[in-house]
Amino acid sequence: TISAPAREGAHIRRTGEDVVADSVALHAGTVLGHSQLGLAAAVGLAEVRVHRPLRVLVASTGTELVDAPAPLRHGQIYESNSVMLAAAIRALGCEVDVVRSVVDDVEEFRKVIEPKLADADLLVTSGGVSAGAYEVVKDALTGQGVEFAKIAMQPGGPQGCGRWQGVPVVTLPGNPVSVLVSFEAFLRPALLTAMGHTDVSRRRVRARLTEEMSSPAGRRQYRRGVFTPSEREVTGIVGPRGGPGSHLLAAFTQANCLIVLPEDVTSAAVGQEVDVLLL
């Protein structure tokens, strides 16, 4: 029994409904996930040109560092920077080689690191760049193509960058929160850009403070925080989590954002709008 006439064009998929001829199906800089790979195959591409993963050598320095689970002696701490950096860099799609707990000795630093440079696109170090008596990274790389400076930010002031034996180098501070903030501010965008990404910035929103905050004059402060969206606010509310100390790593694990106070702001009141970087 035919109860109704067939509608002209029903149940027919027209040429060009999904992708029109000569149009761009996938733009340069697109991250290739399962749907993007499926589309490439659907338009007849067996292969696409991609940026190869960067090979990053991560090195942590400090005679006081001990690799877990070895027992600690007086004055020692467990090494965590290379674990964090390696995980964060791998999450971006890079290949990572790790050298942990290099002692504060220039010759030993060069002996351990130099043989690995030939296979690296980038060297990232943590520790040994401040103003202490044994700043092994600064001592080893000063005059070798790497420049060191103190950035007007908190945490993460001591920084360095350049080239050593032709390999790009980024030297980060030694405290763990300084390492993570420096990664977010400098290293993450640079790595993504180098691998061809077009969207390299964290989402930035405005939110009202739930607690009063203070910041040192002349420094851009990055504080760990908890952001909560709110329909009644600008975009939401935010409050700091933990103190400003660059050794307070536990608070970072509970944060979902970084609260940014500019260099000319020394205090922010409850209810004041601030910039927030969503992690």
Side-chain angles (χ1 to χ4, degrees):
T1 300
I2 299 175
S3 59
R7 181 171 57 86
E8 183 177 356
H11 314 301
I12 294 176
R13 295 175 179 177
R14 301 292 181 183
T15 300
E17 279 187 334
D18 189 18
V19 179
V20 179
D22 298 324
S23 66
V24 178
L26 294 170
H27 289 272
T30 298
V31 178
L32 297 179
H34 53 279
S35 60
Q36 290 79 15
L37 291 172
L39 177 56
V43 298
L45 293 177
E47 296 180 350
V48 293
R49 289 177 60 85
V50 299
H51 291 264
R52 70 166 177 80
L54 291 179
R55 298 166 298 189
V56 182
L57 174 61
V58 173
S60 61
T61 66
T63 302
E64 76 281 8
L65 300 178
V66 174
D67 296 347
L72 292 178
R73 296 182 179 180
H74 179 71
Q76 294 180 326
I77 58 173
Y78 285 120
E79 195 280 317
S80 60
N81 287 347
S82 71
V83 176
M84 296 187 300
L85 278 172
I89 294 171
R90 284 194 186 102
L92 301 181
C94 301
E95 299 173 356
V96 183
D97 186 15
V98 178
V99 177
R100 302 184 67 184
S101 309
V102 181
V103 297
D104 293 321
D105 180 271
V106 169
E107 293 305 318
E108 182 65 19
F109 175 84
R110 290 173 175 164
K111 177 182 177 181
V112 172
I113 302 300
E114 282 184 325
K116 293 179 171 289
L117 291 177
D119 296 324
D121 298 309
L122 174 69
L123 168 64
V124 180
T125 68
S126 67
V129 296
S130 190
Y134 300 101
E135 303 297 347
V136 64
V137 175
K138 183 184 289 187
D139 293 342
L141 300 185
T142 295
Q144 302 295 315
V146 180
E147 297 183 8
F148 297 89
K150 191 166 186 180
I151 307 299
M153 63 183 284
Q154 185 196 51
Q159 303 281 344
C161 67
R163 287 180 178 270
W164 182 30
Q165 298 188 11
V167 178
V169 178
V170 173
T171 68
L172 305 179
N175 283 309
V177 176
S178 298
V179 166
L180 290 179
V181 169
S182 299
F183 172 81
E184 290 292 337
F186 305 123
L187 193 54
R188 180 180 181 275
L191 288 172
L192 288 174
T193 299
M195 290 190 294
H197 291 257
T198 55
D199 184 7
V200 301
S201 300
R202 293 287 194 184
R203 183 186 170 202
R204 184 183 291 262
V205 300
R206 297 283 286 178
R208 298 188 187 277
L209 281 175
T210 60
E211 298 180 30
E212 182 179 354
M213 293 181 60
S214 61
S215 179
R219 295 186 186 181
R220 179 173 300 183
Q221 187 182 63
Y222 293 84
R223 286 283 297 274
R224 292 130 284 172
V226 175
F227 170 77
T228 305
S230 173
E231 294 181 357
R232 296 177 296 177
E233 301 291 339
V234 184
T235 54
I237 57 176
V238 68
R241 182 56 57 94
S246 57
H247 62 294
L248 302 175
L249 183 58
F252 217 126
T253 67
Q254 303 160 12
N256 64 2
C257 69
L258 289 174
I259 304 169
V260 184
L261 297 183
E263 295 87 338
D264 58 350
V265 173
T266 57
S267 63
V270 174
Q272 182 172 332
E273 291 183 19
V274 293
D275 281 334
V276 175
L277 293 178
L278 300 182
L279 301 177

